């Protein structure tokens, strides 16, 4: 028996969008809860050993998990099946807001610090490190893959019939949401992650990736707003009792695509710029120390040459 989505009967309001309206199988909310529980368990293990963990990392990761639960577990999820604007809000949140929050929480570093080096913990570490060092990881985290994949989630889905075909079923809808989350993570991990990576780009390369993506998703929003007919058949006929014009709703979706990501992108650029400056300062300090050591060694050699018996 196929699983069908639970569509709210009342028109969308702030109260109904954030109201309790669970889906038959809440896959993404369960993922959010599981990630939050595992993260908190890791922090508990660290504190039990007397090791500190930065509070801002915890707040970032748990906020990301909370957003994942809210946008896929409350009434928003039901309205997202019929309204382009709500679906676009979910898309942008899953691909642009949640991934940076999760990555800034440094879950990989927490795993390396908390997993035991024996028994099941050792197996987990071996699997995690083997996957990280694999050729597949190198390919998936390469900008030649991450950027086209991220942009495909906009241009490829909405400017073709793919969303209509896949998103017409409940399982297809969930699969697309998982794709949004995965593509967002793959794009942002090489840029913001401070943990071990199979290949790490230069700061200039990562900065270029950020500025390449920003105008392209803004341009997509302009395309949606300028469209004079429904772009996605799934959202062309919202329930009549909601009293919503699909073209007005599509205009709102385009406005979200145009504006939603800009504040997030700006914050990411600020975080990245601060880290870049810190890296440059650290590199300069190391170079200066090496120069000082070389000069001191040369001076000692000079003193020895003056007094051969020394």
């Amino acid at each position: 028996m196929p699983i069908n989505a639970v569509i709210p009967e009342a028109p969308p309001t702030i109260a109904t969008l954030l109201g309790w309206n669970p889906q038959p199988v809440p896959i993404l909310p369960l993922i959010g809860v599981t990630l939050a529980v595992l993260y908190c368990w890791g922090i508990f293990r660290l504190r039990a050993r007397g090791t500190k963990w930065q509070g801002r990392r915890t707040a970032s990761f748990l906020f990301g998990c909370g957003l994942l639960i809210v946008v896929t577990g409350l009434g928003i999820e039901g309205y997202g099946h019929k309204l382009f604007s709500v679906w676009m809000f979910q898309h942008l949140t899953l691909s642009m807001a949640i991934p940076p929050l999760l990555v800034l929480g440094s879950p990989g570093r927490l795993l390396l610090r908390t997993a035991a080096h024996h028994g099941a913990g050792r197996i987990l570490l071996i699997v995690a490190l083997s996957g990280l060092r694999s050729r597949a990881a190198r390919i998936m985290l390469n900008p030649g893959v991450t950027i086209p994949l991220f942009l495909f989630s906009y241009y490829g889905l909405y400017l073709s019939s793919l969303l209509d075909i896949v998103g017409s079923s409940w399982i297809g809808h969930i699969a697309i949401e998982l794709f949004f989350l995965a593509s967002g993570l793959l794009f942002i991990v090489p840029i913001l992650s401070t943990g071990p990576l199979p290949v790490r780009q230069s700061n200039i390369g990562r900065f270029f990736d950020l500025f390449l993506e920003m105008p392209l998703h803004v341009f997509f929003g302009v395309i949606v707003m300028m469209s004079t007919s429904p772009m996605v058949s799934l959202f062309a006929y919202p329930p009549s009792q909601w009293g919503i014009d699909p073209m007005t709703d599509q205009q709102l979706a385009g406005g979200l695509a145009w504006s939603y990501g800009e504040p997030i992108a700006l914050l990411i650029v600020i975080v990245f710029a601060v880290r870049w400056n810190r890296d440059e300062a650290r590199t300069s300090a190391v170079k200066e120390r090496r120069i000082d050591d070389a000069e001191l060694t040369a001076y000692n050699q000079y003193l020895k040459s003056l007094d051969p018996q020394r």
Side-chain angles (χ1 to χ4, degrees):
M1 183 177 180
I3 300 175
N4 296 319
V6 178
I7 308 298
E9 296 182 0
T13 63
I14 297 297
T16 56
L17 285 167
L18 299 178
W20 180 246
N21 186 52
Q23 297 299 312
V25 185
I27 295 176
L28 275 86
L30 287 176
I31 291 175
V33 171
T34 302
L35 290 175
V37 169
L38 290 174
Y39 194 89
C40 291
W41 175 76
I43 294 174
F44 174 78
R45 283 180 60 88
L46 278 184
R47 290 181 176 175
R49 298 204 302 254
T51 304
K52 294 183 179 180
W53 185 255
Q54 292 179 332
R56 67 173 181 269
R57 289 177 177 172
T58 303
S60 177
F61 191 87
L62 294 183
F63 187 49
C65 292
L67 273 182
L68 179 59
I69 294 167
V70 168
V71 299
T72 61
L74 299 182
I76 296 175
E77 176 71 0
Y79 288 106
H81 283 265
K82 295 296 182 180
L83 292 180
F84 200 174
S85 60
V86 177
W87 170 255
M88 183 60 68
F89 175 78
Q90 289 182 286
H91 178 174
L92 296 166
T93 304
L94 288 168
S95 65
M96 298 192 69
I98 295 175
L101 290 169
L102 297 180
V103 172
L104 289 173
S106 301
R109 180 172 294 185
L110 182 63
L111 172 64
L112 293 176
R113 289 189 180 184
T114 57
H117 289 195
H118 58 273
R122 180 177 176 80
I123 296 174
L124 178 61
L125 283 175
I126 292 173
V127 171
L129 291 174
S130 298
L132 186 65
R133 295 166 180 167
S134 66
R135 184 177 180 182
R138 290 175 178 269
I139 294 173
M140 293 304 296
L141 293 176
N142 188 288
V145 174
T146 59
I147 294 177
L149 196 64
F150 188 81
L151 294 176
F152 173 80
S153 68
Y154 293 93
Y155 295 91
L157 280 180
Y158 295 103
L159 300 184
S160 71
S161 60
L162 188 59
L163 182 58
D164 285 325
I165 296 171
V166 179
S168 60
S169 66
W170 175 83
I171 190 65
H173 182 95
I174 298 299
I176 295 174
E177 288 180 326
L178 287 169
F179 170 72
F180 290 157
L181 182 62
S183 62
L185 284 169
L186 288 173
F187 175 76
I188 207 64
V189 162
I191 295 173
L192 288 184
S193 178
T194 57
L197 293 175
V199 177
R200 187 172 293 279
Q201 281 184 280
S202 65
N203 285 325
I204 294 178
R206 285 180 282 174
F207 202 62
F208 174 77
D209 291 348
L210 276 174
F211 275 91
L212 178 64
E213 180 275 330
M214 287 170 60
L216 291 175
H217 84 259
V218 170
F219 181 66
F220 168 77
V222 174
I223 292 175
V224 176
M225 287 190 291
M226 292 181 62
S227 179
T228 57
S229 61
M231 292 181 60
V232 183
S233 299
L234 284 174
F235 308 120
Y237 303 100
S240 57
Q241 67 268 26
W242 290 356
I244 293 178
D245 175 44
M247 289 306 300
T248 302
D249 185 64
Q250 181 168 291
Q251 292 287 319
L252 179 56
L256 283 171
W258 175 73
S259 62
Y260 184 106
E262 296 312 293
I264 297 174
L266 178 60
L267 288 174
I268 292 174
V269 168
I270 292 173
V271 171
F272 179 75
V274 169
R275 288 183 175 179
W276 191 350
N277 181 66
R278 191 183 304 155
D279 290 343
E280 291 294 326
R282 188 182 299 115
T283 301
S284 296
V286 171
K287 288 181 178 179
E288 290 176 1
R289 192 179 303 117
R290 288 176 179 173
I291 292 172
D292 291 342
D293 291 343
E295 290 178 348
L296 180 60
T297 300
Y299 181 69
N300 288 334
Q301 292 294 333
Y302 171 72
L303 291 178
K304 288 182 179 180
S305 67
L306 295 177
D307 185 5
Q309 297 179 352
R310 192 173 175 179

